[in-house]
Amino acid sequence: MESCVELPMDKTSPLPIPDDAVIFSMIQPTGVIHLGNFLGAINTWKQINDKKRPDQKIIYGIADLHALTIPKKDYSSQLKTNRMEAIATLLSCGINPQVSTINFQSMVGGYHTELFWYLSCLAPLGYLNRMTQWKDKKSGDQTKERLGLFAYPVLQAADIMIYKGTHVPVGDDQSQHLELTRYLSERFNAMYNVDYFPSAKTLYSKSKKIASLSNPSKKMSKSSEDRLSMIYVTDSPESIREKIKKAKTDSISDTFYFDPVERPGVSNLLEIVSGFQQKTMKEVEKDVSQLHDYRSLKEYVSDVIIESLAPIRSNYTKYTNDKSYLESVIQQGYESSQEIAHKNLTDIKKIIGLSNDF
Ligand code: AQP
């Protein structure tokens, strides 16, 4: 069975997700959501939300425990703001809390971290050492390296497994972590001779990898210090035009086609258009075939982004001004996710031999 599935672009096609699926994913509250987060993950979350079938469960979390993996001094008030803004952004992007559970990971953190411990006892160090994100983010100075940054993929596995998640919509950069999740599910099942944890499938959108605008060999990333490298979903039209105008392209300026190896900058812009318009690359190439200079191409790309993000921007202002509604969404999300996590952790402890009924 395929462990990775690409979702269809066509809005009318049914999704390849079974009726009894548990769909789970999270986003870190490390800053405003950018186009990579949106096209790689959140847009897919919405697609799944909009097509939810009655017996499916959907849980989307704000991964606030993961946001601590790179500690920052005097960060608590910023984290508090980021968490609330993350909820407001998800709602603005069209996630409906009556359909999908939205929670803060830390509110049900006891369940996640307890399972994290059980899985840590099964996770080989060599496997974690090979994780690309660890290699990219570690400082190289052993005296400053933190256990949390090294071990967080195991917490991520626990986040999925505590709900017995079967389908996880993420961007391409998370594929290794999903492989680790499948590995730990198998290890646990084999160790305790049970068939308890499902093998979670990775769900990708067509735009699973959006590159930095200033350096298309890198992914668009919230932690980049270059503000021109990313477009936030709440950016003003002027800011979007400025960033697209400065986006790195190449010297072929009269024809535009998709070639991520030879023309990574242009291909990234076409990928963004394809993601927003839910059109195939062939259709996008046909649309831009009338354009024969970078000014026109970049204006075209900016127009598509500005038009697509306009409703998100206005919703965002509405939600950030309604703190009591945001709190009610979180409370409701806490109650429904806590119920599942509590039941599953009780089962897991029984399997391990940690239940108190002798
Ligand atoms: N550039 C990207 N292209 C496609 N998908 C992406 N995602 C992130 N960047 C891209 C997907 O967005 C979801 C939420 O990501 P996250 O915030 O939890 O963590 P991340 O992957 O580490 O994202 P960033 O922006 O790079 O954050 P920082 O810089 O804080 O680490 C995930 O599904 C991710 O795949």
Side-chain angles (χ1 to χ4, degrees), residues 11-80:
K11 281 195 178 132
T12 56
S13 302
L15 298 178
I17 306 178
D19 281 350
D20 58 350
V22 179
I23 298 113
F24 176 85
S25 198
M26 291 201 299
I27 182 155
Q28 293 184 67
T30 41
V32 182
I33 289 175
H34 55 62
L35 291 195
N37 302 134
F38 181 76
L39 295 174
I42 312 301
N43 213 17
T44 318
W45 294 13
K46 172 167 163 48
Q47 213 183 337
I48 296 169
N49 173 98
D50 292 351
K51 292 186 180 173
K52 180 184 177 295
R53 297 206 287 270
D55 290 336
Q56 291 176 340
K57 284 195 190 83
I58 307 178
I59 301 165
Y60 295 137
I62 306 301
D64 46 9
L65 297 180
H66 288 279
L68 306 175
T69 47
I70 301 189
K72 297 184 190 98
K73 207 169 169 342
D74 301 326
Y75 186 57
S76 51
S77 70
Q78 184 64 51
L79 178 60
K80 201 171 165 205

Side-chain angles (χ1 to χ4, degrees), residues 82-271:
N82 285 355
R83 287 163 90 229
M84 269 304 171
E85 287 179 354
I87 299 285
T89 316
L90 290 190
L91 298 174
S92 312
C93 292
I95 308 298
N96 178 352
Q98 302 310 326
V99 176
S100 307
T101 294
I102 303 178
N103 71 16
F104 282 140
Q105 179 193 21
S106 61
M107 277 179 93
V108 267
Y111 299 99
H112 290 234
T113 52
E114 188 169 338
L115 180 56
F116 160 76
W117 175 251
Y118 302 141
L119 297 179
S120 297
C121 298
L122 300 177
L125 286 189
Y127 198 140
L128 296 179
N129 228 348
R130 290 196 297 275
M131 293 289 163
T132 318
Q133 296 233 3
W134 161 245
K135 289 188 196 160
D136 287 350
K137 288 184 177 171
K138 69 178 179 176
S139 68
D141 177 350
Q142 288 265 331
T143 59
K144 293 196 181 125
E145 231 59 276
R146 312 281 173 202
L147 177 63
L149 182 63
F150 180 69
Y152 88 89
V154 181
L155 177 58
Q156 199 177 336
D159 299 329
I160 298 165
M161 290 166 67
I162 194 71
Y163 301 107
K164 298 180 79 178
T166 59
H167 292 75
V168 187
V170 285
D172 187 57
D173 59 326
Q174 296 299 326
S175 56
Q176 253 193 336
H177 296 162
L178 265 293
E179 275 165 34
L180 174 71
T181 305
R182 288 189 279 275
Y183 171 85
L184 289 172
S185 298
E186 271 170 36
R187 278 290 288 257
F188 182 96
N189 288 348
M191 170 71 79
Y192 296 104
N193 200 20
V194 289
D195 186 18
Y196 184 75
F197 285 116
S199 182
K201 284 185 197 294
T202 313
L203 294 180
Y204 291 126
S205 73
K206 288 264 189 238
S207 349
K208 60 183 182 204
K209 195 174 185 177
I210 300 297
S212 148
L213 296 176
S214 4
N215 180 356
S217 65
K218 290 187 164 175
K219 74 162 189 162
M220 190 178 280
S221 174
K222 284 193 231 94
S223 49
S224 165
E225 283 176 5
D226 176 5
R227 76 167 199 95
L228 294 174
S229 71
M230 71 197 104
I231 290 177
Y232 300 115
V233 296
T234 52
D235 267 350
S236 67
E238 299 71 42
S239 174
I240 293 170
R241 281 194 201 285
E242 182 205 358
K243 289 174 180 178
I244 293 294
K245 201 167 155 197
K246 294 193 174 146
K248 191 166 170 14
T249 46
D250 56 50
S251 57
I252 310 169
S253 58
D254 57 350
T255 173
F256 307 112
Y257 51 87
F258 187 72
D259 180 349
V261 177
E262 298 296 330
R263 307 193 68 188
V266 169
S267 301
N268 193 39
L269 296 182
L270 300 184
E271 187 78 68

Side-chain angles (χ1 to χ4, degrees), residues 290-326:
Q290 335 288 337
L291 309 172
H292 297 294
D293 58 73
Y294 268 116
R295 219 185 103 214
S296 324
L297 176 78
K298 289 185 166 183
E299 269 176 19
Y300 178 78
V301 175
S302 304
D303 288 344
V304 169
I305 302 174
I306 291 167
E307 195 188 318
S308 312
L309 294 182
I312 300 179
R313 268 192 94 208
S314 67
N315 285 339
Y316 183 74
T317 313
K318 180 181 85 188
Y319 286 122
T320 43
N321 286 329
D322 194 348
K323 296 251 159 34
S324 65
Y325 177 64
L326 297 181

